Amino acid sequence: MTARKKDEPRMSAEDRLSIYGILKKNFSFDEDYPLANLGWCFVREGINKEDYGFLKLKAMLEEMVDFVSTSTKEIGGVSQSMFALHEFAPFEEKLAEEDESEDTQEGASGSEEKPEASEASSDAEKDNKQSFSEVIADEEKCKKETNTKSNSNKKIETRSEKEISAESSPENAKGDKEGKDSKKVSATKDENDSKDKNGIRSEKATNNKNESNNKKVAKEQKDTKEAKKTDEDAGSKGDRRSSVAALPSPAQGEIAPSRRLESSKGSSSKQKTRSSSKPASRSQAVSRASGDRPRRRVIPGKALERFGYLGTWPEFLRTLANLALDEPWDFCNQDIGEATRKYDILHNYIRYTFYRLTLEDKIGFSSDEDFAVFNTGLVDRHYEDIYACFEPSDPERPEEARYAWSFAGFCTAGTGRLGKRLVRELSPLPQPASYLERKEDLLFDLDREVVCDVHHIVVDNVHRLPVNFLRDELASSQECLGILAGIEDLTDGARGDRFEKLRIVIENDTRLFNRLSTSINAAIDVAKRQVRWNYKTAVPAYYPRTNSMNLLLPLILTDSPTPDVALVVELQKSGNYQGQTVVTMAQAYRDARLLCRPYIDWLSPASIIDAAEEEDEEE
């Protein structure tokens, strides 16, 4: 099987500047951060390393050595890759110029409302504005655009002369009727001549105005030329490469190159282009320059499926479960066929583990990019790491044609064909995912305050609370009791409609809302006493959708001796714990298993009898 065709890595000065602006908004200068934080930032901002021809994030960072550095740090006995952002003077100057230009535009826009500001002055200010791409474009490109516009104008003028000549040609006048038409043409020609004279004068005035603006543009380009030269000399290989061309749309199931540097909630400063009166983000300007295309929504749980062809999930999971150290991979009531939710815990584990590895840039590739491997984080009976291996997909096989990679099998290092190839091709071997950045991620501090988003718990997530608990707490409301009557026997859609009605009632009835809030807070107090009795009661967990570490506390809301739901608390920089939400016991176990197998009696697959369907990842 032939090697994958490589894309030549490429990053322009514009790309690097745009990424610099985004990183500056998200990170402090000269401070070490886990590489996963950078990967998460790129996911949020729509930056895809593959759009630039890179398979590895670290290789992409080598193109930005003038403002990004990487290092290795030992955290909790595990080696982690770190990165740091550094201030880069040439880019700081360009960003300052862009911000100043934006402020000037906003001032010009506001002055239009003032009576003393003339429309001519406002138009002149708009004409003098330059988009980000024009500021850093080289002089040859500017000359080329000017020549193109000039040639276009000449063609228009030549065409107009030909049309007028054709209309006034004697050959068009034939016979008496044609003679009358000739008189009309003559009259029309005289009228057009008069208009053309006025048009010529208007065109001259416009040309003079454009010439003046061009001189100003040339002066600004001259001022920035020196800074640009410094950037290109000090920078990376990407400065010497051409801008990123638009990549072809990926086939379904393949990892999709997202729209490069697309604007999002955390995007960089806005700017104004000549073709629009509304500000556009710097990232949008880069997208337009490289070929704008729809951005594919990032779904963490689908990352592995889009990476390569896995065959069938049941076979993939069965093979891994048989090889790994024995542990329960199903909840106790999972007595259904393999084609549905068999190996439910393992299915969740391997998908989100792979996603975390992509954020940490821990997917291993051979030097010829013909072999890909990741560490599953699981071990066999001899405690040897288990690796998942991929080879280039076969385009002649329809099921593989739309993928770049195809699953080749699991292995341990040095054993079998794949294990020996792993040792031969990769050094160091791919490392497992790491999650812990501080000891506070493991231990709950009883001296810190827990502040809950009670509205989110009792209103937005009322469907996660036990029905018996809701019936007891809302017994004084006949409307609520009517909504909850027989709700367990309804289909998912009908049950969702009932809970939506219940949300409206609870939100509009202060008495009911307060009653639920009081019961939730009482359950939290009990959970804190349990942690005081046994510190292991607070279970660390990873939440993929926000790339955050949390602690899970058991909440007992009914007469049952086992918890009904788990409270998700996250340590804030202030020192307080934020109670984010409550999750079902099945969700709690899935999130906790990403770190390790929980050894605590309140969170065990054997005690979880309500393994509800996994909820929408967009939640």
Side-chain angles (χ1 to χ4, degrees):
M1 195 173 295
T2 59
R4 298 173 68 252
K5 183 179 179 181
K6 299 181 184 179
D7 290 329
E8 183 67 21
R10 49 193 183 264
M11 289 188 73
S12 67
E14 180 179 301
D15 298 328
R16 295 167 62 250
L17 174 57
S18 184
I19 292 177
Y20 178 83
I22 291 174
L23 295 182
K24 182 180 176 181
K25 286 198 63 176
N26 289 275
F27 303 100
S28 301
F29 288 126
D30 303 320
E31 184 175 340
D32 287 336
Y33 295 92
L35 194 61
N37 291 18
L38 178 62
W40 174 242
C41 173
F42 279 8
V43 168
R44 296 195 317 269
E45 299 290 347
I47 303 174
N48 191 336
K49 60 183 179 295
E50 293 189 351
D51 286 354
Y52 303 91
F54 297 101
L55 285 178
K56 297 287 290 181
L57 180 58
K58 291 181 181 178
M60 180 178 175
L61 295 182
E62 291 176 0
E63 298 290 313
M64 300 180 283
V65 292
D66 40 16
F67 58 88
V68 171
S69 64
T70 58
S71 61
T72 303
K73 187 176 181 180
E74 199 81 9
I75 300 179
V78 178
S79 179
Q80 290 196 24
S81 296
M82 313 291 287
F83 87 99
L85 175 66
H86 307 291
E87 188 172 1
F88 188 48
F91 283 0
E92 287 293 325
E93 293 175 3
K94 291 182 181 180
L95 292 177
E97 291 174 3
E98 182 177 291
D99 293 339
E100 183 178 353
S101 175
E102 179 186 353
D103 293 340
T104 304
Q105 290 174 9
E106 291 176 354
S109 176
S111 65
E112 292 177 359
E113 300 177 0
K114 299 179 181 180
E116 62 271 15
S118 64
E119 294 183 2
S121 175
S122 177
D123 292 339
E125 288 176 357
K126 290 181 181 179
D127 291 337
N128 288 335
K129 300 299 177 184
Q130 284 186 291
S131 66
F132 165 75
S133 58
E134 292 172 325
V135 170
I136 69 171
D138 53 34
E139 294 180 354
E140 293 182 1
K141 183 177 178 181
C142 293
K143 291 179 181 179
K144 184 177 179 181
E145 292 176 350
T146 303
N147 293 336
T148 301
K149 292 179 181 179
S150 177
N151 293 336
S152 177
N153 291 336
K154 289 180 180 179
K155 290 180 180 180
I156 294 174
E157 292 175 0
T158 303
R159 182 185 174 192
S160 299
E161 292 174 358
K162 290 181 179 180
E163 289 175 351
I164 293 174
S165 176
E167 290 176 355
S168 60
S169 174
E171 295 178 1
N172 291 335
K174 294 181 181 180
D176 295 337
K177 184 176 181 180
E178 293 177 354
K180 294 179 181 180
D181 293 338
S182 178
K183 292 180 181 180
K184 293 181 179 179
V185 170
S186 179
T188 302
K189 182 177 182 299
D190 293 339
E191 183 179 354
N192 289 339
D193 288 341
S194 177
K195 292 181 178 180
D196 288 343
K197 290 178 181 180
N198 294 332
I200 290 172
R201 286 194 295 269
S202 175
E203 183 179 357
K204 286 181 178 180
T206 302
N207 289 338
N208 290 337
K209 181 179 178 180
N210 291 338
E211 183 178 357
S212 176
N213 291 334
N214 290 336
K215 288 180 179 180
K216 294 179 181 179
V217 171
K219 185 177 184 301
E220 292 175 0
Q221 290 173 346
K222 184 177 180 181
D223 293 337
T224 58
K225 183 178 180 181
E226 184 176 356
K228 177 186 174 183
K229 185 176 180 181
T230 301
D231 167 41
E232 293 178 342
D233 292 340
S236 59
K237 301 176 184 178
D239 288 345
R240 298 188 293 273
R241 297 188 179 108
S242 60
S243 299
V244 180
L247 299 179
S249 300
Q252 183 179 3
E254 187 177 352
I255 291 184
S258 57
R259 189 175 67 185
R260 296 214 354 259
L261 308 186
E262 184 182 28
S263 175
S264 65
K265 292 181 180 179
S267 63
S268 56
S269 302
K270 295 184 178 180
Q271 57 161 343
K272 189 174 182 181
T273 63
R274 291 185 177 184
S275 61
S276 173
S277 60
K278 296 181 179 180
S281 68
R282 183 182 304 110
S283 59
Q284 287 174 328
V286 176
S287 284
R288 288 193 296 270
S290 62
D292 197 10
R293 56 186 173 274
R295 174 183 172 186
R296 192 171 209 172
R297 181 168 60 94
V298 176
I299 304 178
K302 297 293 184 180
L304 178 56
E305 295 178 54
R306 291 177 177 173
F307 177 78
Y309 176 69
L310 304 177
T312 63
W313 270 115
E315 181 62 27
F316 181 89
L317 297 174
R318 184 189 305 110
T319 303
L320 180 56
N322 291 337
L323 184 61
L325 191 67
D326 188 42
E327 69 173 280
W329 293 118
D330 305 304
F331 295 108
C332 65
N333 67 334
Q334 293 294 133
D335 188 18
I336 51 181
E338 293 182 354
T340 52
R341 297 187 63 80
K342 182 69 173 175
Y343 300 115
D344 175 69
I345 299 171
L346 182 59
H347 180 238
N348 183 85
Y349 169 84
I350 196 67
R351 292 186 302 144
Y352 289 112
T353 295
F354 178 84
Y355 173 69
R356 174 69 182 188
L357 290 171
T358 62
L359 297 184
E360 294 187 287
D361 198 35
K362 288 184 176 179
I363 309 300
F365 297 93
S366 61
S367 58
D368 59 1
E369 298 181 2
D370 200 25
F371 189 56
V373 184
F374 73 89
N375 191 317
T376 65
L378 301 176
V379 297
D380 66 3
R381 293 166 184 80
H382 305 290
Y383 291 90
E384 296 286 344
D385 287 346
I386 299 175
Y387 301 89
C389 304
F390 291 79
E391 294 175 339
S393 58
D394 187 352
E396 296 183 0
R397 299 183 63 182
E399 66 274 17
E400 297 183 24
R402 61 183 183 179
Y403 298 94
W405 299 96
S406 179
F407 174 65
F410 296 106
C411 73
T412 56
T415 303
R417 179 183 72 86
L418 294 175
K420 293 178 180 178
R421 185 179 183 184
L422 169 63
V423 175
R424 183 174 66 251
E425 298 278 5
L426 280 78
S427 180
L429 299 179
Q431 296 298 303
S434 56
Y435 301 91
L436 304 179
E437 300 177 13
R438 53 191 178 180
K439 62 182 180 180
E440 289 83 0
D441 292 333
L442 290 173
L443 301 174
F444 183 84
D445 190 344
L446 290 167
D447 294 330
R448 302 179 187 271
E449 185 177 0
V450 178
V451 181
C452 289
D453 184 353
V454 179
H455 182 277
H456 185 59
I457 294 174
V458 303
V459 177
D460 299 336
N461 287 309
V462 66
H463 60 287
R464 293 179 180 174
L465 301 177
V467 174
N468 290 338
F469 166 74
L470 294 174
R471 288 196 179 105
D472 291 341
E473 298 298 324
L474 304 176
S476 61
S477 171
Q478 292 301 316
E479 182 178 7
C480 291
L481 292 179
I483 293 174
L484 294 171
I487 196 171
E488 300 96 332
D489 301 327
L490 299 177
T491 61
D492 292 341
R495 190 183 303 114
D497 293 339
R498 290 279 191 94
F499 277 119
E500 186 60 35
K501 294 178 181 178
L502 188 62
R503 290 188 185 96
I504 297 174
V505 175
I506 295 173
E507 188 166 23
N508 294 329
D509 193 322
T510 304
R511 180 175 55 86
L512 298 178
F513 178 88
N514 290 339
R515 182 172 296 174
L516 290 173
S517 300
T518 300
S519 297
I520 293 294
N521 288 325
I524 294 174
D525 290 337
V526 173
K528 293 171 68 175
R529 291 198 292 270
Q530 288 179 282
V531 174
R532 183 178 291 109
W533 174 71
N534 181 0
Y535 71 93
K536 293 182 180 180
T537 301
V539 177
Y542 173 69
Y543 194 55
R545 298 171 185 87
T546 58
N547 189 46
S548 61
M549 283 293 300
N550 307 293
L551 288 169
L552 301 174
L553 299 181
L555 297 187
I556 300 177
L557 302 175
T558 62
D559 295 334
S560 172
T562 58
D564 297 290
V565 293
L567 176 69
V568 179
V569 296
E570 182 178 354
L571 182 62
Q572 305 298 305
K573 61 182 181 180
S574 64
N576 296 322
Y577 283 112
Q578 172 68 60
Q580 302 285 18
T581 187
V582 292
V583 296
T584 64
M585 300 302 293
Q587 289 174 307
Y589 189 89
R590 293 188 189 103
D591 291 344
R593 182 59 190 88
L594 292 175
L595 273 71
C596 66
R597 179 180 176 182
Y599 286 95
I600 188 70
D601 55 357
W602 75 266
L603 193 60
S604 169
S607 63
I608 299 174
I609 60 175
D610 184 19
E613 290 288 328
E614 198 167 359
E615 300 191 18
D616 191 345
E617 292 196 78
E618 291 183 307
E619 188 177 65

